Amino acid sequence: MPDFRSDTVTQPTAAMRAAMQAAPLGDDVFGDDPSVNALQDHAAQLLGFEAALFAPTGTQTNLIALMGHCQRGDEAIVGQSWHTYRWEGGGMAVLGSIQPQPVETQADGTLRLADIAAAIKPDDPHFARTRLVVLENTTGGQVLPPPYIAEVAQLARARGLSTHLDGARLFNAATANAAANGSDVYAEARAICAHFDTASVCLSKGLGAPVGSLLLGTRDFIRQARRTRKILGGAMRQAGLLAAAGQHALQHHVRRLADDHALLHELAQGLQQAAHTHPLLAGRLVVHPAQTNILFTDVDAAVAPQFTAWMAQGGVRVTSGAHGGQTRLRWVTHLDVGAADVAQALARVQAFALA
């Protein structure tokens, strides 16, 4: 059954399972799990940081970073639609006692520089102390332009603020940049990270590991982050089984992200054709531009319930939700979606008929 719900639904490949089975193990709370240490050292070197920390989830690595940059009563500038603000349970406020200062996210996924600057508070006891600017790349499948990232980092430095990257899909952004520039995806990932004091990178989305994210920063920052991870319940024992999957993903699943992007382009083209020619969907299906492995389509309320039911009955799984009086579908290509799955989904779309 083609599953386009998210790149989090992937299953470990046979090669990844073999790497997990063969992983040498220790106790990571004592710091002596060789597979965890190897992953952390490899990731830090790969992305240009001094050190890295392996944790169960990206929600946790983001929260650890926020708690490292901000003290109780401090403030972090975030996007209105950022995961760190909207989709991670309010952890920065609930557990970190950090005030989020949301800024409106623009249609291209950026935050206006003027809005960021305006959100920075003066040094006055009436205000929370602004300490941090957070960016998310990708955001909704959109890639933040490299010159824009550099401008935000420059603004933050000029105002004495730290910067954190929620890079859950960092390598998808790097893949898109590499395609545009004819460059290497790993080099593009390092170039993105170079603008940030810390970065969080998810291993269990497009990279296909079953569990885990990495927090990267200076040695001193990661030393404190290890303590925060313990407080948050994220310290694991023989975690090398999971770290080995992440190591395999970094080594073998990064370059293949270009395949996911190509398949999404193929899917988008097929849906765009249906939006123009299908007797029931023409004028009722809007296909939004896509840059990486995530595509949004809007279906008119007149046919949306029947269309989503039709796709589900045909075994095509996709997430849906209300959006501006229409139904928004989110399509994600990933390790476990192939050309045959895209063809099956498009065939089901073309066969759509009202009962």
Side-chain angles (χ1 to χ4, degrees), residues 148-223:
Y148 166 78
I149 294 175
E151 289 178 324
V152 173
Q154 183 179 11
L155 170 62
R157 285 194 299 270
R159 301 296 294 270
L161 306 180
S162 298
T163 53
H164 173 66
L165 172 66
D166 177 0
R169 294 183 175 90
L170 165 69
F171 285 104
N172 289 100
T175 296
N177 289 346
N181 300 329
S183 54
D184 179 71
V185 61
Y186 291 106
E188 291 289 350
R190 283 193 298 274
I192 293 170
C193 289
H195 296 290
F196 296 90
D197 296 300
T198 57
S200 170
V201 180
C202 190
L203 301 169
S204 64
K205 290 188 171 69
L207 297 185
V211 171
S213 286
L214 291 159
L215 175 62
L216 303 107
T218 65
R219 288 187 183 88
D220 286 343
F221 192 94
I222 295 302
R223 187 177 300 114

Side-chain angles (χ1 to χ4, degrees), residues 33 47 55 67 148 163 167 179 219 229 236-237 239 322 346 348:
D33 188 301
L47 294 173
M67 292 175 68
Y148 166 78
T163 53
R219 288 187 183 88
R229 184 186 68 174
M236 299 178 286
R237 298 296 180 175
L346 292 176
R348 186 67 180 172

Side-chain angles (χ1 to χ4, degrees), residues 38 52 54 68 74 85 89 99-100 102-103 112 148 165 168 192 222 228 236 255 261 270 276 281 290 292 327 331:
F54 181 60
D74 287 346
Y85 176 63
Q99 173 169 289
V103 172
R112 281 197 294 250
Y148 166 78
L165 172 66
I192 293 170
I222 295 302
T228 306
M236 299 178 286
R255 297 195 189 281
H261 293 195
H276 286 97
L281 296 174
T292 56
T327 295
W331 308 76

Side-chain angles (χ1 to χ4, degrees), residues 32-108:
D32 62 14
D33 188 301
S35 297
V36 173
N37 293 339
L39 169 64
Q40 293 171 161
D41 291 344
H42 175 70
Q45 185 277 328
L46 190 69
L47 294 173
F49 289 93
E50 291 181 358
L53 181 69
F54 181 60
T57 69
T59 296
Q60 190 170 100
T61 49
N62 277 332
L63 180 56
I64 292 170
L66 287 160
M67 292 175 68
H69 288 296
C70 301
Q71 301 304 305
R72 184 180 179 89
D74 287 346
E75 177 180 85
I77 295 174
V78 292
Q80 187 76 243
S81 62
W82 277 188
H83 278 72
T84 44
Y85 176 63
R86 179 170 291 187
W87 299 100
E88 294 181 351
M92 72 164 78
V94 175
L95 300 178
S97 296
I98 302 164
Q99 173 169 289
Q101 172 56 70
V103 172
E104 189 64 34
T105 310
Q106 302 305 302
D108 63 355

Side-chain angles (χ1 to χ4, degrees), residues 176-310:
N177 289 346
N181 300 329
S183 54
D184 179 71
V185 61
Y186 291 106
E188 291 289 350
R190 283 193 298 274
I192 293 170
C193 289
H195 296 290
F196 296 90
D197 296 300
T198 57
S200 170
V201 180
C202 190
L203 301 169
S204 64
K205 290 188 171 69
L207 297 185
V211 171
S213 286
L214 291 159
L215 175 62
L216 303 107
T218 65
R219 288 187 183 88
D220 286 343
F221 192 94
I222 295 302
R223 187 177 300 114
Q224 178 59 40
R226 182 176 291 275
R227 176 182 292 272
T228 306
R229 184 186 68 174
K230 179 66 174 178
I231 293 170
L232 296 176
M236 299 178 286
R237 298 296 180 175
Q238 286 70 44
L241 283 170
L242 302 174
Q247 180 82 308
H248 181 88
L250 285 177
Q251 293 174 331
H252 300 286
H253 291 175
V254 171
R255 297 195 189 281
R256 65 150 307 281
L257 291 174
D259 299 336
D260 296 340
H261 293 195
L263 276 177
L264 191 86
H265 180 70
E266 182 179 331
L267 176 66
Q269 283 187 316
L271 291 170
Q272 192 68 56
Q273 181 180 0
H276 286 97
T277 63
H278 192 285
L280 295 175
L281 296 174
R284 291 172 168 172
L285 174 65
V286 176
V287 182
H288 294 279
Q291 296 177 309
T292 56
N293 68 321
I294 299 176
L295 173 69
F296 292 97
T297 60
D298 292 333
V299 185
D300 189 88
V303 296
Q306 298 92 329
F307 180 72
T308 55
W310 173 267

Side-chain angles (χ1 to χ4, degrees), residues 108-180:
D108 63 355
T110 64
L111 311 179
R112 281 197 294 250
L113 290 173
D115 291 345
I116 295 174
I120 300 171
K121 307 297 187 295
D123 184 8
D124 184 302
H126 290 89
F127 304 113
R129 295 168 296 185
T130 309
R131 296 296 196 194
L132 177 68
V133 177
V134 179
L135 291 183
E136 181 176 305
N137 197 19
T138 65
T139 173
Q142 296 173 297
V143 180
L144 298 184
Y148 166 78
I149 294 175
E151 289 178 324
V152 173
Q154 183 179 11
L155 170 62
R157 285 194 299 270
R159 301 296 294 270
L161 306 180
S162 298
T163 53
H164 173 66
L165 172 66
D166 177 0
R169 294 183 175 90
L170 165 69
F171 285 104
N172 289 100
T175 296
N177 289 346

